[in-house]
Amino acid sequence: MAITEAVENYLETILILSQKQPDVHAIDICSYLGYSRPTVSIILKKMKDEGLVTVDDDNHIRLTDGGRIVAERIYDRHTVLTDFFAFLGVKRDVAAEDACKIEHDLSDETFALLKAHYKKLAEEQK
């Protein structure tokens, strides 16, 4: 299975939820993303088969090392882009929505330069 935008969103969601609560279940993902239980179950099975997540006997979902790498990459993009857009004056909720739309499509090169530029600008503002 290719790491699609949808899979990246699921992995990022699992990462975010795992930072807020001790155990992540499929129903938590359903609530967070607004998807149905069958839809989430299908994708979780595929991600489990691909070694991106594990599901234990109590149905606790955890990221594997490979899944965590992808999730942290997307989450970093999301937070940096949101902060950068907000820094430019975009309302925070709009900035977060816009970040979500483009976080998957930027090249690593473009993102790295944008992140470095934003950090420099933010540091100068202090």
Side-chain angles (χ1 to χ4, degrees):
M1 173 172 75
I3 305 291
T4 62
E5 181 177 331
V7 170
E8 288 177 343
N9 282 332
Y10 276 88
L11 294 171
E12 180 183 25
T13 296
I14 295 166
L15 177 68
I16 291 167
L17 291 171
S18 69
Q19 292 172 347
K20 295 178 180 180
Q21 59 196 53
D23 299 310
V24 177
H25 295 91
I27 194 67
D28 301 320
I29 298 168
C30 294
S31 296
Y32 190 88
L33 293 174
Y35 296 159
S36 70
R37 178 82 162 120
T39 300
V40 170
S41 293
I42 290 167
I43 297 296
L44 281 174
K45 182 181 179 337
K46 289 179 182 179
M47 291 188 334
K48 182 180 172 187
D49 291 346
E50 290 296 319
L52 297 170
V53 298
T54 61
V55 181
D56 68 18
D57 292 338
D58 293 322
N59 292 317
H60 299 148
I61 301 162
R62 291 188 177 75
L63 297 169
T64 62
D65 290 342
R68 181 167 298 282
I69 288 167
V70 175
E72 288 176 348
R73 177 181 161 269
I74 292 301
Y75 186 68
D76 181 46
R77 286 171 171 248
H78 183 86
T79 55
V80 169
L81 290 168
T82 299
D83 291 346
F84 181 63
F85 297 154
F87 177 82
L88 294 174
V90 177
K91 287 187 258 178
R92 190 105 188 137
D93 59 331
V94 174
E97 287 177 26
D98 289 345
C100 194
K101 292 174 188 171
I102 66 171
E103 65 195 15
H104 308 278
D105 295 325
L106 282 176
S107 69
D108 291 340
E109 177 184 4
T110 299
F111 178 71
L113 291 171
L114 189 142
K115 183 177 180 179
H117 185 68
Y118 166 64
K119 285 186 173 188
K120 181 180 175 188
L121 288 172
E123 192 62 35
E124 290 172 0
Q125 291 292 319
K126 289 185 179 180

